[in-house]
């Protein structure tokens, strides 16, 4: 049981996931600063509210804070955009370049030889050595 746990922890995917979580947590503070310092003032200009959290409406006794939802969506889109443009897009570009280099250095794969193909080649070689025409009779 301990051995299986050790193998699980030592896999590259688990380490990558841990790094991603830590980076994501650190990046959250950057996104929050952008939302508080840039997006909230823009929203306050448009909606005449101090922050997104002040954007609410009431129906009877219930208060709906739609500004919080807008803030969460903006934060999500900001994180998604940065992850895509900083991490995903460059990695895809590097993968494509590496794949192109790998393909350029290798000949196109031929059709795999079957036993029948190999036997036909042997037959033709034997016929050539015997002075035959290389043609076979069926």
């Amino acid at each position: 049981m301990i051995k299986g746990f050790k193998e699980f922890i030592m896999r590259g995917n688990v380490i990558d996931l841990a790094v991603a979580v830590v980076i994501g947590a650190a990046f959250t503070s950057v996104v929050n600063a952008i939302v508080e310092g840039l997006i909230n003032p823009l929203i306050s200009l448009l909606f005449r509210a101090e922050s997104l959290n002040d954007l609410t409406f009431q129906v009877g006794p219930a208060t709906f804070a739609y500004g919080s939802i807008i803030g969460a969506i903006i934060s999500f889109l900001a994180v998604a955009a940065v992850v895509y443009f900083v991490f995903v897009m460059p990695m895809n570009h590097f993968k494509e370049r590496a794949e192109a280099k790998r393909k350029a250095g290798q000949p196109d794969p031929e059709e795999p030889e079957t036993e029948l193909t190999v036997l036909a080649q042997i037959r033709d070689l034997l016929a050539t050595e015997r002075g035959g025409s290389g043609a076979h009779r069926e």
Side-chain angles (χ1 to χ4, degrees):
M1 184 163 65
I2 297 296
K3 182 181 176 186
F5 179 72
K6 181 180 173 185
E7 289 174 5
F8 171 73
I9 291 299
M10 296 309 288
R11 282 187 191 155
N13 294 347
V14 174
I15 303 300
D16 291 343
L17 181 60
V19 169
V21 168
V22 170
I23 295 295
F27 188 67
T28 299
S29 65
V30 173
V31 171
N32 288 337
I34 290 171
V35 169
E36 291 297 320
L38 182 67
I39 304 298
N40 277 349
L42 292 174
I43 295 295
S44 69
L45 288 174
L46 293 174
F47 293 100
R48 300 177 202 259
E50 282 296 315
S51 77
L52 292 173
N53 295 332
D54 294 341
L55 298 176
T56 61
F57 68 91
Q58 257 184 291
V59 176
T63 301
F64 296 92
Y66 68 93
S68 299
I69 296 169
I70 292 172
I73 291 170
I74 291 170
S75 295
F76 170 77
L77 291 175
V79 169
V82 168
V83 166
Y84 178 76
F85 290 111
V86 173
F87 298 109
V88 175
M89 197 170 79
M91 288 305 294
N92 287 343
H93 178 72
F94 289 132
K95 280 183 185 178
E96 288 172 6
R97 287 184 64 189
E99 185 66 24
K101 276 186 176 180
R102 187 186 66 77
K103 284 184 179 179
Q106 293 179 350
D108 289 337
E110 296 179 7
E111 187 176 308
E113 289 187 328
T114 63
E115 291 175 5
L116 187 59
T117 307
V118 173
L119 288 172
Q121 290 173 355
I122 293 171
R123 179 200 62 220
D124 293 342
L125 284 172
L126 288 173
T128 304
E129 284 180 4
R130 291 186 186 146
S133 64
H136 65 279
R137 291 182 228 157
E138 292 191 27

